[in-house]
Amino acid sequence: MFGLFQRTATISTNELMEKLEKSSILLDVRTTEEYQRGHISTAKNVPLNKISNYKYKHSSEIYVICQSGMRSKQATNILKKKGYQAINVRGGMNRWTGPVKGGRN
């Protein structure tokens, strides 16, 4: 789709659970403090303000999560402009029902 409003690819947290079973790349773009309070164990913390410096030599899809889905949507768009196959996780950690490492259950 061309034009000013390009759609951001998204998946649900339930779909993310299935993807994580296949060793996918997951970036958590919340602040370090938010990440430490509770995150998905396989997630790598790359705060939104540092996402433009992200480099990874891999052609697989990158899933991006934050607290509610807004920052991850921004990060997804930045990563896509850099040539990555980035996919936003709708609803973020607010909708995540799987296990977390750190602060909350």
Side-chain angles (χ1 to χ4, degrees), residues 16-99:
L16 177 64
M17 278 189 206
E18 294 172 17
K19 301 285 184 184
L20 293 179
E21 293 172 7
K22 300 175 181 88
S23 70
S24 297
I25 301 165
L26 175 62
L27 300 182
D28 188 322
V29 296
R30 296 176 298 159
T31 65
T32 302
E33 295 78 20
E34 289 174 297
Y35 178 81
Q36 289 172 344
R37 283 193 292 250
H39 60 273
I40 299 168
S41 64
T42 57
K44 178 180 179 184
N45 186 219
V46 181
L48 178 59
N49 64 349
K50 296 182 180 173
I51 199 72
S52 61
N53 298 325
Y54 180 76
K55 289 186 174 87
Y56 189 75
K57 292 185 180 184
H58 202 276
S59 60
S60 68
E61 296 170 330
I62 298 173
Y63 299 95
V64 187
I65 195 165
C66 67
Q67 192 62 42
S68 67
M70 296 306 293
R71 286 176 284 179
S72 57
K73 185 175 182 179
Q74 291 175 5
T76 298
N77 290 332
I78 291 167
L79 290 169
K80 285 174 74 174
K81 286 178 185 171
K82 292 181 69 164
Y84 293 103
Q85 295 177 24
I87 300 169
N88 182 40
V89 180
R90 272 190 318 274
M93 292 300 290
N94 288 341
R95 296 242 177 104
W96 178 256
T97 58

